[in-house]
Amino acid sequence: MDTVSVVSLRQVTKAFDKFTAVDEISLSIRQGTIYGLLGPNGAGKTTTIRMMMRIIYPDSGEIDVFGAPLRQVAKDRIGYLPEERGVYRKMKVIDLLTFFGEIKSMDARAARRAAHEWLARLELTDTATMKVEELSKGMQQKVQFIATILHAPDLIILDEPFSGLDPVNVNVLKDIILDFHRKGHTVVFSTHMMEQVEKLCQEICLINKGRKVLEGPLAETKKGYGRNSVTIRFQGDGSFLCDLPQVASSNNYGSELFLRLKDGADPNAILRAASDRLSIQKFEVSEPSIHDIFVEQVSAG
Amino acid sequence: MKTWYIIKREYLENLRKKSFIISTILAPIILLGFYAIPILAVFFVPGDQISIAVLDRTGRVGEDFVTSLCDTLKDGRPRYQATVHGAEGGGFDERKDMLIARITSGALDVLIELPVDALESGTVNYISKDVFNENTMDDLRDKLNPVIVNQRLAGRGLDYDQISALTQRINLNENKITKSGVLEEEQVVGRLIMVVVFVMILYMTLLSWGMSVQRAIIEEKSSRVIEVMLSSVEPRDLFLGKIIGVGSLGLTQLAIWSVLFLAVGLSSAVYTAGFMNFVQINPMDIVYFLVFFVLGFMIYSALFTIIGAVCSTEQDAQQLQTIVVLPLVLPIMMMFFVIQNPNATLSVVLSYVPLFTPMLMLARIGVSEPSLWEVWLSIAILVISIYAVTLFSARVFRVGILMYGKRPGLREIIRWSRYA
């Protein structure tokens, strides 16, 4: 087994009654990476993560965390932000954070100190003695995020961490994730918001309907799709471009058009065809975005 | 170790809640209101004086009857204010009309009319606004009876002193045998009241704290905090933490009540030495009460945990919890039978049924002191049941806490308990 794997799944399957949520998924998450678990809603992301945490158990297959089946002690080295956010709403923020630190085997005083530091960094200092239920939804999310990383876990697992946050707070969280990454912590997060993946992740795993569609380093994955994508911004009706023989698939946004070309097709042919009938503002030959790969893979599957 | 933090959080957070403070203060007041005051009233409230007029057409009974009305109230005043009326200045009938008018106006409570042939016929008229006061009527009948009998016997030529000696009533003295000796009659009543009060307190605390466990678990589920918890601790820690945390709160409440009871008892004039003698608590009662609270709480909280684990909302749980509340209510319904017949076969058998043991064995111990092996046998059966129920409950808990939506059927719940 790969010794630098923090998490590895081998042929893991989990079914709920007749519905197979996760179907023979194997994956390996290397130490120190930011790993994106991607997939549409209901693909099996949350089930996969819950099995990593041993909150639920796989029907078959093996899961290793830190090189061994997850034990109680190892849970202290993991910070987990579930998709379903939940806190003790009647508790004071500082008491809640201290408690979550304690059940990660932190010393109460250390937990309290760390909580105050994080509250300050996330501009929540004033809320320390307030009850959680008195905070806005966004603030509660930030408090829960602090609870996840309070004990500086080696492995941080975030299930849809950015959902429901405004762009400013998304940036704050992103910076914290990158900080941990720089210090060598491993971050796993699941999302269906592709822009974040593009910017943050080094490795991705795309799953759909419980099965793994592709896995690997982001750059390589994109390279695998080649530089045969074209983005055109224009004025006029460009829909005829989608029907050109060189085009494998297309995505029409009205004034911007995204085209994937067939193997060996010449992008210049597209440019010529377009320039005859449209006023072109931008023409770019590029790698496909993760979003495009995602849409293509999911709609193909 | 992590269980400890869960216990601590559950305990401290709930201790600060208004609901805990209110129920701790309010419950004794309610209990006192509903149970203790009516009972204590019978023994300690002096009651009202009753004014009686005796219209004696025989001329032979009135004086003796009035003399025999010598009861006193609790505060030392005479219970009856009785006067004898003859036919002074007019006829008996006028006199009667006058007395009835006084009853109507409220100046007089009762008129006893002794007809001319009262001695022969034994018929006496009781005239009052309130003819349903069985207590007063019985008492007056009991007082009047010997006077009339004595007069009849005297009419046959017997000496008055001899009559008194011959018609002396027999007295049935209640003497209860206990290990510490023989209790006096008044103490037996006090003992019964204490047993009822103890069993009622046990019922109330088991019910309210059992349901608190259920509520705590549903809260954990409905606030979705359970997944965060499970990423840090094992389901077992959570299960034990909840039960022990809530149970400690229950014990704290009982301790507060005991201190309050003692404080009031030692400082108030109501609880004089006489009262402490009357209520008849001995240290073993407290020990048994605590033992049965702890054991009862364990078995019932495990059952309420199952309800909490399989339901997603309070409303869901309300229908199901009847199944658990029923075995709590049944011993209360059986309590008076058991107290009256503590050694009847039915009482003995019921006191061995684990779900009934806490309340019914406590009742039996309170009134009849069953032998020690009986007590230990019932406790042993209870402990084994607790083990089995807790094992089952913990397994259902582990699966159920992550389930939302449709409530599972019984068959599904049993299937959960078999998951590895």
Side-chain angles (χ1 to χ4, degrees), chain B residues 86-326:
Chain B
E88 305 96 346
F92 277 110
D93 291 338
E94 282 166 41
R95 197 78 194 166
K96 183 178 175 184
D97 290 342
M98 189 269 281
L99 290 168
I100 286 176
R102 284 174 65 186
I103 290 177
T104 316
S105 72
L108 185 67
D109 293 320
V110 177
L111 168 62
I112 302 286
E113 185 193 11
L114 296 153
V116 185
D117 62 346
L119 286 178
E120 292 77 36
S121 66
T123 305
V124 175
N125 294 322
Y126 175 94
I127 302 161
S128 171
K129 278 184 187 169
D130 177 15
V131 292
F132 301 107
N133 192 336
E134 289 288 336
N135 263 339
T136 312
M137 286 177 69
D138 283 350
D139 191 47
L140 291 177
R141 190 183 296 118
D142 286 352
K143 297 273 168 34
L144 188 54
N145 212 28
V147 177
I148 288 183
V149 170
N150 288 0
Q151 281 299 331
R152 284 178 186 161
L153 292 171
R156 300 283 168 94
L158 277 172
D159 177 62
Y160 199 84
D161 289 336
Q162 279 182 326
I163 296 167
S164 301
L166 289 171
T167 58
Q168 176 73 49
R169 286 188 60 162
I170 59 152
N171 245 328
L172 209 56
N173 253 330
E174 292 175 36
N175 290 298
K176 181 178 154 52
I177 297 173
T178 68
K179 294 206 175 86
S180 54
V182 176
L183 285 179
E184 288 162 24
E185 180 184 339
E186 192 182 53
Q187 292 174 324
V188 172
V189 180
R191 184 80 198 148
L192 288 180
I193 292 170
M194 279 327 290
V195 171
V196 172
V197 168
F198 267 50
V199 173
M200 289 308 296
I201 292 177
L202 186 63
Y203 162 74
M204 279 175 44
T205 44
L206 285 183
L207 184 67
S208 68
W209 291 112
M211 284 168 74
S212 294
V213 173
Q214 175 193 302
R215 214 172 304 122
I217 285 161
I218 290 178
E219 186 203 351
E220 203 98 350
K221 278 181 84 169
S222 61
S223 71
R224 314 272 163 162
V225 77
I226 203 125
E227 215 176 321
V228 186
M229 294 302 297
L230 290 182
S231 73
S232 305
V233 304
E234 295 296 313
R236 188 191 56 239
D237 297 320
L238 200 55
F239 177 79
L240 288 177
K242 288 277 159 191
I243 289 181
I244 299 174
V246 174
S248 314
L249 274 174
L251 283 174
T252 306
Q253 189 170 63
L254 288 172
I256 293 172
W257 287 347
S258 308
V259 170
L260 282 181
F261 178 81
L262 280 178
V264 172
L266 294 175
S267 64
S268 157
V270 179
Y271 297 83
T272 55
F275 178 81
M276 290 314 273
N277 184 38
F278 174 76
V279 296
Q280 289 294 318
I281 302 179
N282 59 51
M284 277 314 282
D285 292 337
I286 310 278
V287 172
Y288 278 126
F289 179 85
L290 288 178
V291 166
F292 283 121
F293 172 77
V294 170
L295 295 177
F297 177 77
M298 285 165 86
I299 197 161
Y300 276 102
S301 61
L303 290 175
F304 277 115
T305 301
I306 297 177
I307 310 275
V310 301
C311 295
S312 311
T313 62
E314 288 273 345
Q315 290 88 326
D316 253 9
Q318 260 158 20
Q319 304 166 339
L320 265 191
Q321 72 193 20
T322 320
I323 304 171
V324 183
V325 173
L326 211 62

Side-chain angles (χ1 to χ4, degrees), chain A residues 50 72 75-76 80 88, chain B residues 2 220 227 230 232 234:
Chain A
R50 281 181 174 176
Q72 174 73 53
K75 280 191 178 178
D76 291 347
Y80 170 52
Y88 294 106
Chain B
K2 289 184 179 180
E220 203 98 350
E227 215 176 321
L230 290 182
S232 305
E234 295 296 313

Side-chain angles (χ1 to χ4, degrees), chain A residues 224-243:
Chain A
Y225 279 75
R227 296 185 65 87
N228 57 355
S229 300
V230 171
T231 309
I232 316 172
R233 183 186 281 277
F234 50 80
Q235 276 179 334
D237 181 10
S239 54
F240 69 93
L241 292 170
C242 304
D243 301 325

